[in-house]
Amino acid sequence: MKQEMIIVLDFGGQYNQLIARRVRECGVYCEVLSYQTPIEELIAKAPKGIILTGGPNSVYDETSPHYDKALFETGIPILGICYGAQLMAYSTGGKVETATTSEYGKTDVKVICNNSLLFGGVENETVVWMSHTDMITELGSGFVVTAHTDKCPVAAMENAEKKLYAVQYHPEVTHSIKGQQMLSNFVYDVCGCKGDWKMADFTRNTIEEIKKRVGDGKVLCALSGGVDSSVAAVLLSKAVGKKLTCVFVDHGLLRKNEAEEVERIFGDEGEYDLNFVHVKSSERFYEKLAGVSEPEAKRKIIGEEFIRVFEEEAKKIGAVDYLVQGTIYPDVIESGLGKSAVIKSHHNVGGLPDYVDFKEIIEPLHMLFKDEVRAVGLELGLPEQLVYRQPFPGPGLGVRIIGEVNAEKVKIVQDADAIMREEFAKAGLDKKVNQYFAALTNMRSVGVMGDFRTYDYAIALRAVTTSDFMTAEAAEIPWKTLQLIMNRIVNEVEHVNRVFYDLTSKPPGTIEME
């Protein structure tokens, strides 16, 4: 039976991924495609419905993104959001102009069409999230207004006969009180979806597809120990067993005991049927990083050395048929819709020389979001502590140590970070805060410990809440928890006499320290 699917057609909106997420939360598979996708290719996918995203442009500007007007005559249910709504109006004979008053943020909207399928279960007055400088001033043929605000006469419109619906606001964001209800109404009541997409089905189908694709071929995977590469590795091991070789490059910049945990799970003592190669190369990385303080220089060194180590191991293995990559959907979208994802710089095995030969890349997770990857990991039986492991940068602690990196500094930040993670778990914060870690600053200061004066380092604690990791706010951590972490760090971690809490948001800062 063919899988139900909704397509999100992206016109440059900042919430394209979020729309797809909301649809998937309805139990319906959803893909994001570029507005440059030919209409023939889009129709060939046989979507149950199409959602047109917002975007920063003005639809009456001919240089702005447009789409084949024939789309609105296909009979496929369509929901236009913000710019997508204006494009629908513009393409069906309506008119869009600069708004006399722009609307931003939470806005009261009045629903005036009680029998609209889009507004089932929605009160006549509700709150939505607006963000527009243009507005629809004339409707296209066959459309009626279904909602308005005090400043926007066409906050929603529809041509029910042709299954065309449009809203000027963003139902996908949580600020739109009944936004998810509206999206659910579109998916179920307008598009007629059943909502039977489940992670268990995805896992089972993916394993079967990999079996058929690989056949008797050999597969190579760069295993970082992170969630994405670990889940990808287990999927491959379930499908092809010993035909898979996982190379784990231990650059000495991992969190405390992390290398040992990865080997315990994937090595000879683990339950997975694969070839595991643990390359212990910390001294090699420390030598390359000696005397280097500039953040980007460190990133480049770590990334390039990773490739060199991986090359050497791959050369020992010889030619392989497939290379496994733990790319997930946000990577695909950020790398450019309609294009192959770019392998992250710190795992850039795409830069391997000719003698490391492979025919194709396998990206079993490339259509999943992070929480969906975690769900697959649990479905596969991966340990919960690995599945819910904190996000970790490819260069590892190299970007959580300000200034030069060496073995002593790595141990300091490993120990401090382990204390923070332990106390967050005890306080129940580990599932509430999106990312948290300890970083080692390059600042040393005088302190007093017992009867002695010290001249030691300062640790900075970082904890943020975020929905997309594009923006972030410092998390509000209970004072007692911060005090407990501080006390433990200065008493248990050598060469540390001060602890700070970083309050910086992103922007202007980044989530990491460098």
Side-chain angles (χ1 to χ4, degrees):
M1 184 177 69
K2 189 173 177 60
Q3 178 177 261
E4 292 181 332
M5 175 171 58
I6 299 290
I7 288 176
V8 172
L9 202 58
D10 180 43
F11 290 88
Q14 60 179 316
Y15 300 126
N16 53 18
Q17 293 184 48
L18 187 55
I19 298 170
R21 284 290 307 279
R22 296 293 182 242
V23 173
R24 291 186 183 190
E25 286 169 5
C26 294
V28 177
Y29 181 68
C30 185
E31 286 186 15
V32 181
L33 299 180
S34 167
Y35 75 93
Q36 295 175 319
T37 304
I39 189 171
E40 296 81 12
E41 182 179 327
L42 188 151
I43 293 173
K45 287 181 172 287
K48 296 282 286 184
I50 298 169
I51 299 177
L52 313 179
T53 76
N57 304 95
S58 293
V59 71
Y60 46 79
D61 182 345
E62 290 303 317
T63 63
S64 295
H66 288 82
Y67 204 74
D68 192 329
K69 295 180 180 179
L71 177 68
F72 302 101
E73 300 296 333
T74 59
I76 300 172
I78 300 173
L79 172 64
I81 295 175
C82 198
Y83 180 88
Q86 296 166 8
L87 179 67
M88 184 181 291
Y90 186 81
S91 301
T92 56
K95 190 173 182 180
V96 177
E97 298 178 286
T98 302
T100 52
T101 305
S102 300
E103 287 181 306
Y104 295 101
K106 292 182 179 179
T107 306
D108 294 326
V109 67
K110 295 181 177 60
V111 178
I112 58 175
C113 185
N114 292 325
N115 62 351
S116 170
L117 292 178
L118 194 66
F119 292 110
V122 179
E123 295 80 2
N124 289 339
E125 293 189 15
T126 186
V127 175
V128 297
W129 185 260
M130 284 285 195
S131 180
H132 69 101
T133 55
D134 292 334
M135 66 180 188
I136 299 166
T137 55
E138 291 183 20
L139 302 182
S141 176
F143 281 85
V144 295
V145 176
T146 53
H148 67 84
T149 72
D150 291 341
K151 298 174 182 176
C152 182
V154 187
M157 66 177 191
E158 66 182 55
N159 182 333
E161 184 180 349
K162 291 189 174 182
K163 299 182 180 179
L164 302 179
Y165 296 78
V167 293
Q168 183 59 67
Y169 48 86
H170 290 276
E172 67 274 20
V173 303
T174 55
H175 301 298
S176 291
I177 304 301
K178 286 297 184 78
Q180 183 64 13
Q181 177 71 52
M182 298 172 201
L183 288 173
S184 177
N185 290 342
F186 176 72
V187 168
Y188 288 113
D189 299 336
V190 177
C191 300
C193 292
K194 297 184 178 66
D196 52 7
W197 186 63
K198 297 179 178 65
M199 274 298 124
D201 297 333
F202 169 86
T203 303
R204 183 176 58 255
N205 293 339
T206 300
I207 290 172
E208 289 304 315
E209 288 169 8
I210 291 171
K211 280 182 182 177
K212 292 177 184 177
R213 182 175 176 185
V214 171
D216 295 325
K218 292 173 65 178
V219 186
L220 178 63
C221 173
L223 179 63
S224 71
V227 178
D228 302 337
S229 69
S230 295
V231 173
V234 174
L235 274 172
L236 266 294
S237 76
K238 295 282 189 183
V240 303
K242 289 290 187 181
K243 297 170 192 170
L244 170 67
T245 298
C246 290
V247 176
F248 172 51
V249 177
D250 178 3
H251 48 31
L253 301 169
L254 298 170
R255 288 167 288 206
K256 189 172 184 178
N257 300 326
E258 198 160 63
E260 292 80 3
E261 184 181 354
V262 171
E263 178 155 10
R264 180 178 57 79
I265 294 172
F266 293 100
D268 294 337
E269 302 302 317
E271 62 180 272
Y272 300 108
D273 186 31
L274 51 83
N275 300 305
F276 179 75
V277 180
H278 185 173
V279 188
K280 300 177 181 179
S281 52
S282 57
E283 292 304 320
R284 176 171 173 171
F285 278 83
Y286 294 160
E287 287 175 13
K288 290 286 184 179
L289 291 166
V292 180
S293 298
E294 202 276 320
E296 282 307 309
K298 289 192 293 184
R299 286 178 180 273
K300 188 174 181 181
I301 288 169
I302 295 167
E304 288 181 350
E305 199 61 21
F306 182 96
I307 294 172
R308 300 288 83 80
V309 175
F310 191 85
E311 285 174 3
E312 293 165 12
E313 295 303 317
K315 188 177 181 181
K316 296 175 187 176
I317 296 166
V320 296
D321 300 286
Y322 300 94
L323 182 70
V324 180
Q325 184 177 322
T327 309
I328 65 174
Y329 206 29
D331 299 330
V332 175
I333 295 174
E334 289 171 10
S335 299
L337 288 167
K339 302 175 183 178
S340 296
V342 177
I343 301 173
K344 295 175 182 178
S345 60
H346 50 277
H347 290 160
N348 191 7
V349 289
L352 295 176
D354 292 340
Y355 59 71
V356 182
D357 186 28
F358 59 89
K359 298 175 184 176
E360 295 180 45
I361 291 177
I362 295 178
E363 299 173 307
L365 309 174
H366 77 287
M367 296 310 291
L368 300 185
F369 292 98
K370 178 70 78 173
D371 62 323
E372 294 170 333
V373 174
R374 296 189 197 281
V376 172
L378 293 175
E379 190 74 33
L380 291 167
L382 272 167
E384 189 169 307
Q385 66 267 26
L386 189 153
V387 170
Y388 288 103
R389 178 171 283 164
Q390 278 285 297
F392 194 59
L397 299 180
V399 294
R400 292 181 182 175
I401 296 173
I402 311 301
E404 182 183 3
V405 175
N406 56 44
E408 180 186 65
K409 288 184 176 180
V410 169
K411 186 176 187 312
I412 291 171
V413 75
Q414 282 180 334
D415 290 344
D417 182 72
I419 289 171
M420 183 182 185
R421 286 187 286 127
E422 182 181 330
E423 294 303 331
F424 264 48
K426 288 180 181 177
L429 295 168
D430 53 334
K431 299 289 177 61
K432 296 177 182 177
V433 179
N434 300 104
Q435 188 166 353
Y436 53 91
F437 56 87
L440 180 63
T441 73
N442 203 27
M443 185 191 88
R444 300 182 76 180
S445 62
V446 174
V448 178
M449 300 185 77
D451 296 327
F452 300 96
R453 290 168 69 84
T454 61
Y455 184 65
D456 282 328
Y457 289 105
I459 284 284
L461 306 178
R462 184 80 162 132
V464 299
T465 56
T466 176
S467 59
D468 55 13
F469 288 87
M470 303 301 291
T471 62
E473 295 290 337
E476 293 186 25
I477 307 303
W479 185 249
K480 286 185 178 180
T481 301
L482 287 175
Q483 282 186 313
L484 178 57
I485 293 170
M486 177 275 296
N487 276 322
R488 285 196 59 190
I489 289 175
V490 296
N491 282 289
E492 298 176 30
V493 182
E494 293 185 5
H495 308 300
V496 176
N497 63 5
R498 290 181 188 270
V499 177
F500 300 112
Y501 183 59
D502 185 355
L503 289 171
T504 315
S505 61
K506 176 187 179 183
T510 64
I511 291 177
E512 295 294 338
M513 298 301 293
E514 288 191 350

